[in-house]
Amino acid sequence: MDNIWDTFWTGGITNFITILEQMTFLFFMKMLDDALKKESSASFLGEKVKDPVFEEGTWCNPKTDKDVPFESLRWSVFKNYDATKMYNTKK
């Protein structure tokens, strides 16, 4: 936690509420992607995933009215973005 906090602080984000908001968002995405292990099991078994968390296609961000591919919202993809791209993807 201290390393994450230091990274935000060093990056110029010093508002406590903003840091908590961003950390909450990142942890939520991580938990969500971890919950998707059923997809890999279904894929391995050649079955279709019932009630997938991330559908195929795109999600329309209501704040920006931009389409964001569902695949780019997965933690395994999102965690590799630079900070600016992360911020603009969810913004």
Side-chain angles (χ1 to χ4, degrees):
M1 291 298 285
D2 287 338
N3 288 341
I4 295 171
W5 186 272
D6 289 342
T7 301
F8 280 116
W9 192 269
T10 304
I13 302 174
T14 57
N15 182 310
F16 178 74
I17 298 300
T18 302
I19 292 172
L20 286 178
E21 176 187 63
Q22 295 301 310
M23 288 175 68
T24 301
F25 180 72
L26 292 171
F27 290 138
F28 172 76
M29 286 183 57
K30 170 89 171 83
M31 289 172 35
L32 184 60
D33 207 47
D34 288 346
L36 298 175
K37 291 182 181 179
K38 67 180 180 182
E39 287 185 7
S40 62
S41 296
S43 176
F44 179 74
L45 297 172
E47 299 174 352
K48 186 173 180 165
V49 179
K50 297 175 185 170
D51 300 321
V53 175
F54 290 107
E55 302 170 10
E56 292 183 17
T58 59
W59 165 72
C60 183
N61 186 329
K63 289 185 178 180
T64 62
D65 201 34
K66 292 183 181 178
D67 287 338
V68 178
F70 281 117
E71 188 63 30
S72 69
L73 300 176
R74 291 179 178 275
W75 176 255
S76 57
V77 175
F78 189 82
K79 70 179 181 177
N80 296 313
Y81 289 169
D82 62 75
T84 302
K85 186 170 182 178
M86 281 184 181
Y87 183 76
N88 290 331
T89 297
K90 72 119 194 136
K91 185 175 177 183

